[in-house]
Amino acid sequence: VHALPIQETTGTPLRVALGYPITTNFAVGRWKGGTFLCVGGGLQRLFFISLTEKGGQQQLRDYARTLLPAGTSLTDPVFDAQTETVLIGVGDYLVRLSPRGSVLSYPRLKGAIRGAPVVGADGTVYAATDERMVYALEGRILRVKWSVELPSSIHAPMLLTGATLWVVTLDGLLCGLDTKTKEILWRFRLGDVNPNYFSTLTLAPIVATPFG
């Protein structure tokens, strides 16, 4: 892992060796006045790295290597600023961890979680699985608030705008879910459906906003 202050792009980067291949993107969070990074690696491990400043010098330190519940895949980790915890999908499990790497809760869902979880403004956590399920979970223990089954498997991360959860299925169906009622508000087929060609969608929707 390398870190370099944005104002010193020509300097020597800070480095820390983890000894395992990195398999996810980073989550960056603030905790007790400091900054920490979280990244997933080989053999179902989640690495916690502190970025601190001492005597005018920045330091990068690997301080926790959490062994996660057994699963087939890791999603990107997500920092939940409201609870100051980290969320990550590990196979069938949705795991919440402390900034020190302690596992706080890990409910098992139906199917593997392929896309990173989403955190709403009210603290509700949303996760989708490759068994066509979308879940809303609440509280630090991640209690299931509601769940709904869609027509096809879900591998892409979801997007939350206001009270609408945007979900795209593996075969190209874009759905808008009402997060209060779990009702499917609308659905839209992305592209033409060709019976001789099977296309897959694994990328998240994005929202474009005007500048100025």
Side-chain angles (χ1 to χ4, degrees):
V1 176
H2 298 77
L4 187 66
I6 194 168
Q7 66 271 22
E8 300 177 13
T9 54
T10 59
T12 302
L14 303 172
R15 296 174 182 167
V16 61
L18 301 180
Y20 292 85
I22 292 173
T23 59
T24 74
N25 289 318
F26 287 91
V28 180
R30 297 282 296 173
W31 186 64
K32 290 188 175 180
T35 300
F36 73 92
L37 301 91
C38 179
V39 67
L43 301 180
Q44 304 298 121
R45 292 186 184 275
L46 195 62
F47 300 93
F48 289 80
I49 303 161
S50 65
L51 180 61
T52 58
E53 186 172 326
K54 187 176 182 180
Q57 298 292 320
Q58 289 190 321
Q59 299 178 337
L60 200 62
R61 183 173 66 89
D62 164 25
Y63 66 85
R65 300 184 172 202
T66 305
L67 184 61
L68 296 166
T72 57
S73 60
L74 300 181
T75 70
D76 290 338
V78 174
F79 179 63
D80 180 358
Q82 296 184 55
T83 59
E84 294 186 323
T85 59
V86 172
L87 296 158
I88 187 170
V90 188
D92 298 354
Y93 296 93
L94 179 61
V95 184
R96 188 191 289 278
L97 305 102
S98 76
R100 286 298 177 192
S102 301
V103 175
L104 303 176
S105 57
Y106 54 102
R108 190 170 191 175
L109 307 182
K110 181 184 177 182
I113 305 166
R114 302 293 184 178
V118 178
V119 183
D122 62 352
T124 302
V125 178
Y126 301 94
T129 75
D130 60 6
E131 288 290 336
R132 306 185 297 182
M133 299 298 296
V134 178
Y135 291 87
L137 305 101
E138 58 186 356
R140 290 181 70 88
I141 63 171
L142 296 173
R143 178 178 57 254
V144 175
K145 188 175 180 181
W146 55 255
S147 64
V148 64
E149 185 173 357
L150 294 188
S152 180
S153 175
I154 305 153
H155 286 224
M158 297 179 292
L159 174 70
L160 181 63
T161 58
T164 302
L165 189 65
W166 300 57
V167 187
V168 61
T169 64
L170 191 63
D171 61 353
L173 187 65
L174 180 63
C175 300
L177 299 184
D178 187 322
T179 57
K180 292 180 172 56
T181 66
K182 73 177 183 180
E183 177 188 359
I184 299 178
L185 301 172
W186 47 262
R187 59 182 71 190
F188 179 76
R189 175 66 63 182
L190 300 173
D192 296 329
V193 178
N194 185 337
N196 300 314
Y197 176 75
F198 180 70
S199 61
T200 60
L201 289 178
T202 59
L203 300 178
I206 61 173
V207 172
T209 57
F211 292 97

